[in-house]
Amino acid sequence: MDDKKVRVRYAPSPTGFLHIGNAQSALFNYLFARHFNGTMVLRIEDTDTKRNVKDGEASQRENLHWLGIDWDEGPNKPNPKYAPYRQSERNKQGIYHKYIQELLDKGLAYKDYSTEEELAEMRERQRANNEAPHYDGRWYGKSEEEQKAAEAKGLKPTIRFHFPKNHDYEWDDIARGHVSFNSDNLGGDFIIEKSDGMPTYNFAVVVDDHSMDITHVLRGADHISNTPKQIAIYEALGWEHPTFCHIPLIFNPKTRKKLSKRDKDTLQFISEYKKHGYLHEAIFNFIAFLGWSPVGEREIYSKDELIKVYDPNRMSK
Ligand code: GLU
């Protein structure tokens, strides 16, 4: 570990209540921060306004508290150097658009005026040809006249990041080891700003992790395929990316598949464990062991003991 002060974040989208998978990400960030005397940040990623649920953020906070997970910075504990901590508020300050404009100016991003129907037709054709679905770059390099003509028709553009051809995005993942993706296999140029002016997750997360000085990103392995897109943005903006750690997903032992909201035989929400009378210390211990294990056979640890013995190099794959 280099001597930069550790700053980690748990960044839930308030699209539902605190799920055991989210709790696992929160918990490993917490162990990491406390073990290395770093700072734990809570950031609310609420740019997907259609999917946000009322009380989603409050449920996250309440259930994290019950589990014994606290944070040093967040919407309720702002550090003026990094605030605000909700992406919707950050967006209003123009934090994301400033960098979108920079990419547009450098020719690394462009406006796409395709309609929903055109995109659906494109995907349909790719499916029929047995091609993996991808954006075909049809608006890349279009002239100003063509853009103006689309505007005149009342079309609102999305903004896409333009991938360089045949470029490798690689990183050394704390849990997974070396990971590499090629730009040609990432689904084509991707949207960084929606037509309503909201940044997408893959863009906002980079701007925020960079501007909040995040040193380590610990999150669920379902984000592995997002990471090369995020590294592409770091490269385009000339920034260094944080160290990544993709925590293994929780599996249902019966179906041997990723735990799904439909698996009714597993308690999935932290509030359910609370309601059934489980002790928060036991749930903390249980979740920690779902992604990590200490040396030896011992299985019962207090939170403080876990903070002490936690070693990120022993994360499971
Ligand atoms: N808002 C994202 C989620 O809830 C965060 C992923 C990340 O930590 O980068 O999945």
Side-chain angles (χ1 to χ4, degrees), residues 25 34 73 148 170 199 222 304:
S25 298
R34 296 293 172 258
E73 292 175 20
K148 283 213 182 104
E170 305 182 65
D222 47 338
D304 288 339

Side-chain angles (χ1 to χ4, degrees), residues 70-113:
D70 59 3
W71 48 93
D72 311 299
E73 292 175 20
N76 56 333
K77 285 187 188 174
N79 171 345
K81 184 170 175 203
Y82 299 112
Y85 292 85
R86 287 190 193 93
Q87 288 187 332
S88 56
E89 294 167 22
R90 298 174 70 72
N91 190 47
K92 281 195 194 122
Q93 300 189 343
I95 292 176
Y96 308 112
H97 193 77
K98 174 172 128 200
Y99 295 111
I100 300 259
Q101 192 58 50
E102 180 177 331
L103 295 181
L104 283 169
D105 293 344
K106 286 182 176 163
L108 298 174
Y110 59 95
K111 294 183 179 166
D112 172 15
Y113 291 88

Side-chain angles (χ1 to χ4, degrees), residues 9-15 22 25 29 43-46 87 201 205 209 217-220 222-223 226 230:
R9 85 304 190 273
Y10 168 58
S13 302
T15 54
N22 314 133
S25 298
N29 279 287
R43 183 173 71 225
I44 304 296
E45 303 205 322
D46 55 351
Q87 288 187 332
Y201 158 69
V205 75
D209 286 341
V217 167
L218 292 86
R219 61 182 171 206
D222 47 338
H223 285 290
N226 286 321
Q230 295 172 17

Side-chain angles (χ1 to χ4, degrees), residues 4 16 28 33 57 106 113 117 122 126 129 133 153 155 164 173 195 211 234 238 240 247 250 281 302 309:
K4 233 197 312 171
F28 282 110
E57 183 186 328
K106 286 182 176 163
Y113 291 88
E117 294 72 46
M122 180 181 79
Q126 291 166 347
N129 293 339
K153 280 193 227 156
L155 295 174
D173 195 286
S195 53
S211 53
Y234 281 103
E240 240 175 78
I247 307 163
I250 301 172
E281 295 91 336
S302 71
V309 300

Side-chain angles (χ1 to χ4, degrees), residues 216-278:
H216 298 78
V217 167
L218 292 86
R219 61 182 171 206
D222 47 338
H223 285 290
I224 289 180
S225 58
N226 286 321
T227 305
K229 297 182 183 172
Q230 295 172 17
I231 293 179
I233 303 287
Y234 281 103
E235 284 186 10
L237 290 168
W239 299 339
E240 240 175 78
H241 65 76
T243 302
F244 294 105
C245 176
H246 287 95
I247 307 163
L249 298 177
I250 301 172
F251 274 64
N252 178 333
K254 281 194 195 138
T255 59
R256 304 190 134 265
K257 285 202 193 106
K258 181 187 157 192
L259 190 60
S260 134
K261 302 234 160 98
R262 287 179 297 274
D263 294 340
K264 294 284 174 235
D265 49 357
T266 307
L267 294 183
Q268 306 227 2
F269 292 98
I270 298 305
S271 53
E272 296 177 291
Y273 289 90
K274 183 156 97 182
K275 205 166 75 201
H276 283 74
Y278 285 90

Side-chain angles (χ1 to χ4, degrees), residues 281-290 292-303 305-306 309:
E281 295 91 336
I283 301 304
F284 191 104
N285 189 148
F286 160 67
I287 297 174
F289 273 67
L290 285 175
W292 174 85
S293 61
V295 182
E297 298 295 309
R298 191 176 147 197
E299 290 190 346
I300 298 180
Y301 283 81
S302 71
K303 185 172 93 176
E305 287 170 327
L306 282 169
V309 300

